[in-house]
Amino acid sequence: MISAERKPNLHEAGGKATLGPPATAVELRQDHFAAVYAYVSRRIQPREDAEDVTQETFIAALREFGRVKGDPRLWLYGIARRKLADLHRKRSRKASTTPAPTPSAQSLAEARQVTEVLRTLVERLPTDQREAILLQHLEELSLAEIATVMGRSHKSVKGLLARAKETLRESGRSYFTDEED
């Protein structure tokens, strides 16, 4: 855990302050640990797995520290995204032998039910569409930032988001139609 908050490493560029690359790997971790952990923990449970993936992200970042270009936070999100994919692949191999428990929708409060329905609808999206939606709405990244994290063009990300939103609208219609009438 980060013991002291640090301000981002700012430098002067053409008369205005801009976010610069961290001078050391320690600064990289101090500046971005909380954001990377939040990114990971929104995508995976339990907490211990989120902590492990976050740690693996920073270990991988340390190995490639000299290659940081642009916004280090986006670079770290890209590493975390690949680490999450590795864990999901590992889990899916194990899941073929162990069925995952499903919570009872009847035991949840109405607000909890809506949250679970939305979570389920998002989880059913194709991987790239799901990731783009989560980056946009949970991490509050711009299209350009999402494109950087995902290694795609701006136009490709726009298309992913449009398809994801349409799929969510269509698949969610049966769950939420009664509430709108």
Side-chain angles (χ1 to χ4, degrees):
M1 180 135 233
I2 300 171
S3 59
E5 290 294 320
R6 275 189 2 84
K7 291 187 177 183
N9 181 17
L10 297 176
H11 66 276
E12 291 295 311
K16 60 179 165 178
T18 59
L19 186 63
T24 67
V26 172
E27 284 182 8
L28 181 75
R29 188 176 190 286
Q30 288 174 336
D31 292 347
H32 302 290
F33 183 85
V36 172
Y37 177 75
Y39 172 86
V40 170
S41 66
R42 288 182 186 122
R43 287 161 176 76
I44 195 151
Q45 293 294 324
R47 180 180 55 92
E48 292 80 11
D49 285 350
E51 290 169 353
D52 290 346
V53 170
T54 302
Q55 192 64 25
E56 289 174 19
T57 298
F58 281 94
I59 290 169
L62 180 62
R63 290 185 190 121
E64 302 294 325
F65 182 69
R67 295 184 181 181
V68 178
K69 292 181 183 171
D71 186 340
R73 179 179 55 115
L74 300 180
W75 178 69
L76 288 165
Y77 283 171
I79 294 171
R81 181 173 182 257
R82 291 185 292 280
K83 294 297 179 185
L84 284 165
D86 291 345
L87 183 60
H88 285 302
R89 277 191 295 275
K90 183 178 174 184
R91 280 186 174 177
S92 69
R93 287 185 214 121
K94 287 183 181 180
S96 62
T97 60
T98 309
T102 55
S104 169
Q106 295 172 349
S107 67
L108 301 175
E110 186 176 316
R112 179 81 174 152
Q113 289 175 337
V114 170
T115 300
E116 288 301 316
V117 168
L118 288 172
R119 182 183 311 263
T120 300
L121 293 173
V122 170
E123 287 174 356
R124 288 180 183 165
L125 288 171
T127 304
D128 284 346
Q129 289 179 21
R130 179 177 58 242
E131 186 64 18
I133 281 285
L134 293 175
L135 286 168
Q136 184 179 48
H137 292 281
L138 294 181
E139 306 308 326
E140 299 178 355
L141 297 184
S142 69
L143 291 177
E145 291 170 327
I146 296 168
T148 299
V149 171
M150 296 184 73
R152 290 178 165 257
S153 70
H154 184 272
K155 187 174 181 178
S156 171
V157 168
K158 256 181 115 170
L160 282 172
L161 288 168
R163 288 190 302 278
K165 289 173 184 176
E166 181 60 27
T167 300
L168 289 171
R169 194 172 8 265
E170 290 300 317
S171 60
R173 188 166 282 143
S174 65
Y175 290 103
F176 301 111
T177 301
D178 294 336
E179 292 178 20
E180 294 175 11
D181 290 342

